[in-house]
Amino acid sequence: MKRFAAMLILSAASAWAAEEVELKGKLGCGHCEFHKATACAAGFKAADGKIYLIDNATKEVMDARVKGGQIKVTGKVSEKDGVLHVQASKQELVK
């Protein structure tokens, strides 16, 4: 029974990770502002308080992270070492 429950949880986690989601939040430095990265990186804090690092941030987003502002990201979410990451298929700075 425990093995079946573990398989069910892994299956649900894989399905969650495979779907693209749209997230919005306050853009900032994943290292300097949010303390979630070991070096400067683009990150954002969503309305629910969760902090995400953008794995493939564009130059525009990297430059904007020090100015703050809002961002809308579409992509697949994963968790690595307790930190949420987004592999973004779309990144848009919200004016």
Side-chain angles (χ1 to χ4, degrees):
M1 185 66 169
K2 287 182 183 180
R3 185 175 180 183
F4 175 74
M7 288 175 37
L8 186 61
I9 290 170
L10 287 174
S11 176
S14 295
W16 174 71
E19 292 181 27
E20 282 205 344
V21 295
E22 183 178 283
L23 300 164
K24 297 177 186 176
K26 180 190 177 299
L27 182 63
C29 181
H31 174 69
C32 301
E33 185 172 348
F34 300 126
H35 312 288
K36 295 291 183 177
T38 56
C40 290
F44 64 96
K45 186 173 186 177
D48 62 3
K50 293 180 182 174
I51 296 171
Y52 298 84
L53 297 180
I54 305 169
D55 288 341
N56 57 332
T58 63
K59 181 178 180 340
E60 178 185 26
V61 170
M62 286 296 289
D63 291 345
R65 81 186 190 287
V66 295
K67 300 174 190 168
Q70 296 291 312
I71 189 165
K72 180 168 67 170
V73 177
T74 302
K76 295 180 182 180
V77 175
S78 62
E79 185 175 334
K80 299 174 193 164
D81 299 323
V83 178
L84 294 171
H85 292 259
V86 179
Q87 185 66 34
S89 60
K90 184 177 178 184
Q91 304 167 47
E92 179 183 345
L93 297 173
V94 179
K95 305 285 184 207

